[in-house]
Amino acid sequence: MYNSANLEINANKTKEKSNMDLMNPRQVKREADRVQANRDELAQRISQAIRADGTIEPLKGLYLHRFSSPSSACHAVSVPAFCVIAQGSKEVLLGNDRYQYDPAHYLLAMVELPILTLSGLKPLRFCDHQYY
């Protein structure tokens, strides 16, 4: 059985440094700019693929959802999925736990579970259209 306690990492015992810790400030800026450019490209490509709010399935099993404004809370059953956000944010409530994902954080759902989803609670930037 899955136990999240088995996955916890004790920060005091972890001696590894991240790649960002090993970079000089100029390299850190260049990497941050590259990451932002990739996020911008993802949002642009999604906007070209789906031009109005809604959902499409351009490839079997690949769904693109577009919402230009926050949506209301939605009770659902999660399905196994890998969820990536291009712009904005989404929050999933599972029991008493909250999971937020946005362009810097993905969501990986491995099993079907009853959830409550909240979209667009904290937009990361403002523009004419936001793609979630």
Side-chain angles (χ1 to χ4, degrees), residues 5-132:
N6 293 337
L7 298 178
E8 289 183 21
I9 297 173
N10 185 335
N12 294 332
K13 293 181 181 177
T14 303
K15 301 292 184 199
E16 297 178 26
K17 289 190 172 194
S18 73
N19 288 340
M20 296 296 265
D21 292 334
L22 301 174
M23 294 180 183
N24 68 44
R26 194 168 75 181
Q27 289 172 313
V28 170
K29 169 122 175 57
R30 187 173 34 231
E31 180 66 14
D33 290 345
R34 186 187 65 78
V35 167
Q36 185 59 50
N38 288 340
R39 288 180 184 148
D40 292 343
E41 180 182 359
L42 177 62
Q44 180 184 14
R45 287 179 182 252
I46 291 172
S47 71
Q48 290 170 349
I50 182 168
R51 299 195 180 271
D53 284 4
T55 301
I56 64 168
E57 186 180 9
L59 300 170
K60 184 169 175 57
L62 173 66
Y63 296 92
L64 300 177
H65 305 279
R66 176 178 173 167
F67 302 97
S68 9
S69 61
S71 61
S72 59
C74 175
H75 291 273
V77 174
S78 72
V79 295
F82 175 65
C83 305
V84 178
I85 302 287
Q87 290 181 342
S89 66
K90 186 165 189 138
E91 188 171 35
V92 175
L93 303 169
L94 175 61
N96 292 330
D97 297 325
R98 293 176 174 261
Y99 300 93
Q100 183 175 343
Y101 55 110
D102 54 38
H105 303 93
Y106 63 87
L107 177 71
L108 181 61
M110 302 289 286
V111 296
E112 294 181 355
L113 294 169
I115 58 171
L116 174 66
T117 63
L118 308 168
S119 295
L121 295 177
K122 291 172 51 180
L124 296 180
R125 68 178 147 176
F126 297 93
C127 59
D128 290 342
H129 300 285
Q130 297 207 2
Y131 312 98
Y132 298 2

